[in-house]
Amino acid sequence: MSIMSILQDMRGEFGSMSRRGFGVKSAYGMRSRSQRVVQDSSVGAIHALKQSCWANLPPELLRDVLMRIEASEDTWPPRKNVVACAGVCRSWREIMIEIVKSPEVSCKLTFPISLKQPGPRDSLFQCYIKRNHSSQTYYLYLSLNRASTDDGKFLLAARKCRRPTYTDYIISLNSDDVSKGSSTFIGKLRSNFLGTKFTIYDAQPPHAGVKVVTKCRSTRLVNLRQVSPRIPAGNYPIAHISYELNVLGSRGPRRMQCVMDAIPASAVEPGGVAPTQTEFLVSSLDNFPSLPFFRSKSTRTESFLSGNLTGESEGRLVLRNKAPRWHEQLQCWCLNFNGRVTIASVKNFQLVASPENEAAGHEHENVILQFGKVGKDTFTMDYQYPISAFQAFAICLSSFDTKIACE
């Protein structure tokens, strides 16, 4: 049997199991909204799997089949079959998680957790951002065609929320539900009143030993019951962004600095390592997809200055925008985006490791993140190791925010 015939047969089984599982979930969902409902629906899916011809496949043969599927489906949209295999049952998921390597090694984005993992070391992930002015939303896509930004694999969505003294950008895995109460909420970007300083918050700790930034009991409540007592639902500051003031109105592009709290400065050196998340620790919240989360007002009192933007950055990776050069003939500031940016804009930038990360004090030439305009509401975003798609997206969102006295 060829690999394509095996894959087609498996697709048919996946489809039948999904329909049967969905039917069970919908029938119970009309009567009750409790954990028992989710358990009953999963029991139906497991029962459907047991009726499948793939249920009793020998482990060695199953691993070989899944490895062939992972190797053959190396680009999107065909790579969705790899995700489908991981969603069949726990044993299949464990095998796929072991087979599928992180973006740093495989240079591929597969599972949602890949968006929290550092990009490849020797190449840039090419993405683009679509802006919707009317709804104040932003959508991140993985470029599937280098010649066009009309199609792409959806990765993340963000929604701008204005407050009297600050602005929040809520970041979600779901393009249709961009809210902090959603189970797909993964973090946010917060700015100060002037739009000159920003903090990136992760919804889960980037590594062990991180403290949650909140002034009250950091738990999420559902009908006054604690959902996940082991994992505090708070805001973990992972990066700070600052834009240099330009009160004199001197000509030139914006000057920005990013202090990556969760990434050591040694990560950009040969053999350096950046923290890599392996799973979403708040996955237990998925058992309550339709229940609202109630959070006391005091949780909104987290301090914006939870970290030092300019000082005490020793040991942490510091990124600065690459200095452009003045083009006498064009009479403008220029950066080499290698054809990825086509429209001049004050929002365009390239980030490199700051000289203060090295004793020698030389600026790195390797671009870690670049962002630029290619259409009225379309911007390219390319990133690589040691930052993740989530971190890169949040940094680029800071460029969209209105900045008083920075232009």
Side-chain angles (χ1 to χ4, degrees):
M1 181 182 291
S2 66
I3 186 63
M4 291 306 298
S5 60
I6 291 177
L7 185 56
Q8 290 175 358
D9 192 9
M10 294 174 73
R11 284 175 182 170
E13 294 294 338
F14 295 158
S16 62
M17 284 187 290
S18 300
R19 288 190 294 271
R20 278 177 279 185
F22 178 77
V24 173
K25 185 175 181 179
S26 299
Y28 281 96
M30 296 297 293
R31 298 185 304 182
S32 173
R33 291 174 179 263
S34 64
Q35 187 176 7
R36 181 178 59 84
V37 176
V38 181
Q39 292 174 347
D40 290 342
S41 63
S42 59
V43 168
I46 294 174
H47 178 69
L49 175 63
K50 289 180 178 180
Q51 297 177 354
S52 168
C53 63
W54 300 96
N56 299 319
L57 201 65
E60 296 79 7
L61 180 58
L62 174 61
R63 177 179 293 273
D64 182 65
V65 170
L66 295 182
M67 289 181 65
R68 288 173 178 266
I69 293 176
E70 196 280 333
S72 62
E73 313 288 10
D74 59 344
T75 59
W76 289 92
R79 197 157 179 81
K80 65 182 179 182
N81 297 316
V82 177
V83 180
C85 290
V88 171
C89 62
R90 179 176 297 180
S91 61
W92 285 42
R93 180 163 57 253
E94 291 175 351
I95 294 175
M96 292 307 300
I97 291 177
E98 181 181 346
I99 293 174
V100 177
K101 303 303 180 182
S102 66
E104 175 190 353
V105 178
S106 65
C107 299
K108 301 173 186 175
L109 294 174
T110 307
F111 302 122
I113 193 61
S114 301
L115 304 177
K116 289 288 192 74
Q117 297 174 339
R121 288 182 179 267
D122 300 324
S123 61
L124 290 167
F125 268 138
Q126 295 188 344
C127 310
Y128 64 92
I129 298 174
K130 292 273 190 178
R131 175 178 59 183
N132 189 322
H133 273 292
S134 60
S135 61
Q136 293 288 286
T137 52
Y138 306 83
Y139 303 96
L140 176 65
Y141 298 88
L142 177 66
S143 298
L144 302 181
N145 183 1
R146 295 186 178 183
S148 173
T149 56
D150 294 334
D151 58 348
K153 171 68 176 73
F154 170 79
L155 300 178
L156 292 170
R159 180 171 58 88
K160 186 176 182 178
C161 301
R162 290 186 179 275
R163 300 290 186 265
T165 58
Y166 61 89
T167 300
D168 274 349
Y169 289 84
I170 308 301
I171 304 176
S172 172
L173 294 168
N174 189 345
S175 60
D176 299 322
D177 187 4
V178 188
S179 63
K180 294 176 68 175
S182 170
S183 60
T184 56
F185 167 74
I186 62 170
K188 69 180 180 181
L189 173 73
R190 170 164 293 187
S191 76
N192 64 352
F193 175 74
L194 295 177
T196 58
K197 295 181 180 181
F198 298 79
T199 300
I200 302 174
Y201 292 99
D202 199 331
Q204 70 178 36
H207 53 78
V210 179
K211 294 183 179 180
V212 62
V213 179
T214 180
K215 293 185 179 180
C216 70
R217 197 162 53 99
S218 57
T219 54
R220 290 191 180 186
L221 303 179
V222 176
N223 291 341
L224 301 182
R225 287 186 180 182
Q226 187 172 327
V227 175
S228 182
R230 294 179 298 173
I231 304 168
N235 298 308
Y236 300 87
I238 61 171
H240 295 84
I241 308 166
S242 60
Y243 287 82
E244 186 175 313
L245 292 175
N246 185 18
V247 293
L248 299 179
S250 58
R251 298 180 63 186
R254 295 170 178 170
R255 297 180 182 179
M256 61 185 298
Q257 170 184 289
C258 301
V259 179
M260 312 302 295
D261 298 340
I263 303 177
S266 59
V268 296
E269 302 300 333
V273 178
T276 302
Q277 298 183 20
T278 57
E279 61 180 348
F280 285 109
L281 301 181
V282 293
S283 58
S284 59
L285 297 179
D286 293 338
N287 292 334
F288 302 85
S290 58
L291 295 178
F293 293 101
F294 299 95
R295 188 179 296 178
S296 62
K297 293 183 179 180
S298 58
T299 57
R300 288 183 287 178
T301 61
E302 68 255 16
S303 172
F304 173 78
L305 295 176
S306 55
N308 198 330
L309 293 176
T310 56
E312 299 182 2
S313 60
E314 183 178 357
R316 295 179 291 176
L317 177 64
V318 179
L319 304 178
R320 293 185 185 273
N321 61 311
K322 191 174 183 179
R325 60 180 179 85
W326 178 255
H327 198 291
E328 289 293 341
Q329 294 180 343
L330 299 177
Q331 289 294 298
C332 65
W333 296 96
C334 295
L335 281 171
N336 182 14
F337 288 93
N338 295 311
R340 291 285 291 163
V341 177
T342 57
I343 300 178
S345 173
V346 70
K347 297 179 175 64
N348 301 348
F349 65 81
Q350 289 181 325
L351 292 185
V352 296
S354 174
E356 63 188 74
N357 290 318
E358 291 187 306
H362 299 298
E363 180 178 87
H364 285 259
E365 292 297 325
N366 192 30
V367 175
I368 295 176
L369 170 64
Q370 67 178 19
F371 172 78
K373 192 172 185 178
V374 294
K376 181 180 179 181
D377 293 305
T378 306
F379 302 79
T380 57
M381 186 198 87
D382 303 337
Y383 76 97
Q384 66 171 335
Y385 195 89
I387 65 174
S388 65
F390 165 68
Q391 294 167 337
F393 186 41
I395 293 174
C396 292
L397 289 174
S398 70
S399 187
F400 287 108
D401 201 60
T402 303
K403 294 165 180 56
I404 302 175
C406 284
E407 307 301 336

Short mmCIF file of all heavy atoms in Angstrom, two decimals, residues 126 143-151 339-340:
data_model
loop_
_atom_site.label_atom_id
_atom_site.label_comp_id
_atom_site.label_asym_id
_atom_site.label_seq_id
_atom_site.Cartn_x
_atom_site.Cartn_y
_atom_site.Cartn_z
N GLN A 126 9.29 33.78 7.00
CA GLN A 126 8.67 34.90 6.30
C GLN A 126 7.16 34.90 6.57
O GLN A 126 6.46 33.96 6.20
CB GLN A 126 8.95 34.81 4.80
CG GLN A 126 10.42 34.97 4.45
CD GLN A 126 10.67 35.07 2.97
OE1 GLN A 126 9.82 34.73 2.15
NE2 GLN A 126 11.85 35.55 2.59
N SER A 143 3.75 33.16 5.33
CA SER A 143 3.76 33.29 3.88
C SER A 143 3.93 31.92 3.23
O SER A 143 4.87 31.19 3.55
CB SER A 143 4.88 34.22 3.43
OG SER A 143 4.70 35.52 3.94
N LEU A 144 3.01 31.59 2.33
CA LEU A 144 3.11 30.35 1.57
C LEU A 144 3.62 30.59 0.17
O LEU A 144 4.12 29.69 -0.49
CB LEU A 144 1.73 29.67 1.51
CG LEU A 144 1.09 29.33 2.85
CD1 LEU A 144 -0.24 28.63 2.63
CD2 LEU A 144 2.01 28.47 3.71
N ASN A 145 3.48 31.84 -0.28
CA ASN A 145 3.94 32.23 -1.62
C ASN A 145 4.74 33.51 -1.49
O ASN A 145 4.20 34.55 -1.10
CB ASN A 145 2.74 32.42 -2.56
CG ASN A 145 3.16 32.75 -3.97
OD1 ASN A 145 4.35 32.82 -4.28
ND2 ASN A 145 2.19 32.98 -4.83
N ARG A 146 6.02 33.46 -1.78
CA ARG A 146 6.88 34.63 -1.60
C ARG A 146 6.50 35.78 -2.51
O ARG A 146 6.82 36.93 -2.23
CB ARG A 146 8.34 34.23 -1.87
CG ARG A 146 8.89 33.23 -0.86
CD ARG A 146 10.36 32.99 -1.08
NE ARG A 146 10.92 32.06 -0.11
CZ ARG A 146 12.20 31.71 -0.04
NH1 ARG A 146 13.06 32.22 -0.92
NH2 ARG A 146 12.62 30.87 0.87
N ALA A 147 5.83 35.48 -3.60
CA ALA A 147 5.49 36.53 -4.56
C ALA A 147 4.18 37.23 -4.22
O ALA A 147 3.82 38.21 -4.87
CB ALA A 147 5.40 35.94 -5.97
N SER A 148 3.45 36.75 -3.23
CA SER A 148 2.15 37.33 -2.93
C SER A 148 1.83 37.20 -1.45
O SER A 148 2.30 36.28 -0.77
CB SER A 148 1.05 36.63 -3.76
OG SER A 148 -0.24 37.07 -3.36
N THR A 149 1.03 38.14 -0.95
CA THR A 149 0.54 38.08 0.43
C THR A 149 -0.97 37.88 0.46
O THR A 149 -1.63 38.22 1.42
CB THR A 149 0.90 39.37 1.19
OG1 THR A 149 0.38 40.51 0.46
CG2 THR A 149 2.40 39.52 1.34
N ASP A 150 -1.51 37.32 -0.62
CA ASP A 150 -2.95 37.11 -0.71
C ASP A 150 -3.39 35.84 -0.01
O ASP A 150 -4.54 35.69 0.38
CB ASP A 150 -3.41 37.07 -2.18
CG ASP A 150 -3.23 38.41 -2.87
OD1 ASP A 150 -3.24 39.42 -2.17
OD2 ASP A 150 -3.06 38.42 -4.10
N ASP A 151 -2.48 34.88 0.10
CA ASP A 151 -2.83 33.64 0.79
C ASP A 151 -1.73 33.33 1.80
O ASP A 151 -0.58 33.73 1.67
CB ASP A 151 -2.96 32.48 -0.19
CG ASP A 151 -1.69 32.25 -1.00
OD1 ASP A 151 -0.80 33.14 -0.95
OD2 ASP A 151 -1.58 31.21 -1.67
N GLY A 339 14.32 43.08 -0.64
CA GLY A 339 13.11 43.01 -1.44
C GLY A 339 11.85 42.72 -0.67
O GLY A 339 10.77 42.63 -1.27
N ARG A 340 11.91 42.58 0.64
CA ARG A 340 10.73 42.22 1.43
C ARG A 340 9.89 43.44 1.81
O ARG A 340 8.76 43.29 2.26
CB ARG A 340 11.16 41.48 2.70
CG ARG A 340 11.72 40.10 2.45
CD ARG A 340 10.61 39.14 2.13
NE ARG A 340 9.76 38.90 3.30
CZ ARG A 340 8.56 38.37 3.25
NH1 ARG A 340 8.02 38.05 2.09
NH2 ARG A 340 7.86 38.18 4.36
#
